[in-house]
Amino acid sequence: QHPLPSETVGVIASLLVEDLLGDAAAARDGREDGEHKAGSAAGVPEARLVVGRTYESLELCGRLITYAQKDELATPLFEALDKRLAEPDARGAREAQRCRVAALRLAAGLAANPEASEELVKHAVEVLSQSEAAVDDE
């Protein structure tokens, strides 16, 4: 198993966050201009696949990164989560939930990372606990 090249981790993280919250996610949520029934991905089946694959990709990246790369992968996701938690509307809530699920999948990948030390797993739990505390405060 080879770690991800360090120059690609930030790019991959940004692309995955875009998949979670960008056009594919909007289509999945049914927010596109009446193309299909609201809340349904039936009219855009590839949107469901993109968002679902993003979770899998985050978990896989968590397994492949080195300890030094953890923040570069996690930071864009948690910045997006913080931003969505500040949005009081239904869209913000949906996107915050999507970020939470993604964070759990990333943590699962970090926990399965063969280079993961006890410190890495503790870090993942700490970050997830912080985001849970923010959710509980609402």
Side-chain angles (χ1 to χ4, degrees):
Q1 179 175 355
H2 302 286
L4 292 174
S6 60
E7 66 275 3
T8 65
V9 175
V11 173
I12 291 170
S14 295
L15 290 171
L16 293 174
V17 169
E18 176 61 27
D19 283 348
L20 280 176
L21 306 173
D23 292 340
R28 179 180 181 200
D29 290 343
R31 292 191 310 263
E32 298 293 89
D33 298 322
E35 290 180 32
H36 58 281
K37 183 178 169 186
S40 168
V44 188
E46 64 276 9
R48 175 178 282 150
L49 289 173
V50 168
V51 175
R53 299 291 168 141
T54 300
Y55 297 139
E56 295 169 6
S57 297
L58 278 164
E59 186 172 339
L60 181 60
C61 286
R63 291 177 187 205
L64 295 175
I65 62 172
T66 63
Y67 183 74
Q69 295 171 315
K70 72 182 179 338
D71 290 334
E72 197 172 352
L73 184 59
T75 297
L77 179 61
F78 286 103
E79 286 175 351
L81 176 59
D82 285 343
K83 183 178 178 184
R84 285 354 184 244
L85 287 172
E87 295 176 3
D89 61 358
R91 175 182 173 190
R94 267 192 314 271
E95 290 179 348
Q97 180 59 29
R98 198 173 294 125
C99 289
R100 285 186 203 104
V101 172
L104 289 171
R105 293 295 294 268
L106 175 58
L110 293 171
N113 187 317
E115 291 187 12
S117 64
E118 189 173 306
E119 185 177 352
L120 178 60
V121 175
K122 285 181 186 177
H123 178 77
V125 170
E126 176 185 316
V127 169
L128 286 171
S129 297
Q130 289 173 357
S131 69
E132 278 297 315
V135 172
D136 291 343
D137 290 343
E138 292 182 350

